Amino acid sequence: RRIFQAASGMKAMFPSTDPVWTPLTQRRVACESFMQELYKAISSRLKHHIQLLIAAEEISRRCSLETLVHSVLSDGRLRRSNLVIRELQAAVAETMGWENCPEELRISVGELGRKGAE
């Protein structure tokens, strides 16, 4: 992530033909492979997070507020899950972005995000 943050700031100072870009260019394939795994991880984490939200909703319908707080909020799973998703999304935004994500997976992640927001 730091490499991409630094690279975006350096684009204004160094032309694309400058040797400073050689290491980044050489590692581009590895970066693209990493990004594909990152996209899949976001999808997987979103699916898990939605399951936690569905469970929390079900508990809220059937139990008291005390049980809801104890069962859903006190163990921190929902909060940690949300934090992990935000960190993964930030990593995508700060590196290669969503443009290299396969369209089907990008649509799926978008739908999962909307479902989680409901």
Side-chain angles (χ1 to χ4, degrees):
R1 185 162 61 174
R2 290 182 185 153
I3 291 171
F4 285 95
Q5 288 172 340
S8 64
M10 292 170 42
K11 286 180 183 177
M13 297 185 294
F14 297 98
S16 62
T17 56
D18 194 286
V20 74
W21 300 112
T22 302
L24 188 58
T25 304
Q26 290 172 342
R27 291 175 179 80
R28 186 102 181 144
V29 173
C31 291
E32 289 172 357
S33 176
F34 170 77
M35 291 304 295
Q36 296 306 312
E37 294 303 316
L38 189 55
Y39 301 138
K40 291 175 191 174
I42 290 174
S43 177
S44 174
R45 291 294 185 144
L46 277 170
K47 288 175 186 174
H48 175 67
H49 188 70
I50 288 169
Q51 292 301 315
L52 290 174
L53 291 171
I54 290 169
E57 182 181 28
E58 190 66 26
I59 290 171
S60 74
R61 278 196 229 129
R62 299 178 184 266
C63 300
S64 68
L65 180 59
E66 180 182 346
T67 303
L68 174 67
V69 169
H70 177 71
S71 299
V72 177
L73 302 176
S74 66
D75 73 355
R77 277 189 287 178
L78 197 55
R79 182 172 294 176
R80 282 190 307 273
S81 175
N82 188 45
L83 180 62
V84 167
I85 290 168
R86 286 177 183 244
E87 288 174 351
L88 290 171
Q89 289 173 327
V92 168
E94 293 172 358
T95 54
M96 297 177 81
W98 289 97
E99 52 273 356
N100 291 327
C101 182
E103 185 176 357
E104 183 178 308
L105 184 56
R106 189 175 2 169
I107 290 169
S108 173
V109 167
E111 289 172 357
L112 288 168
R114 281 188 290 282
K115 186 174 182 180
E118 292 174 359

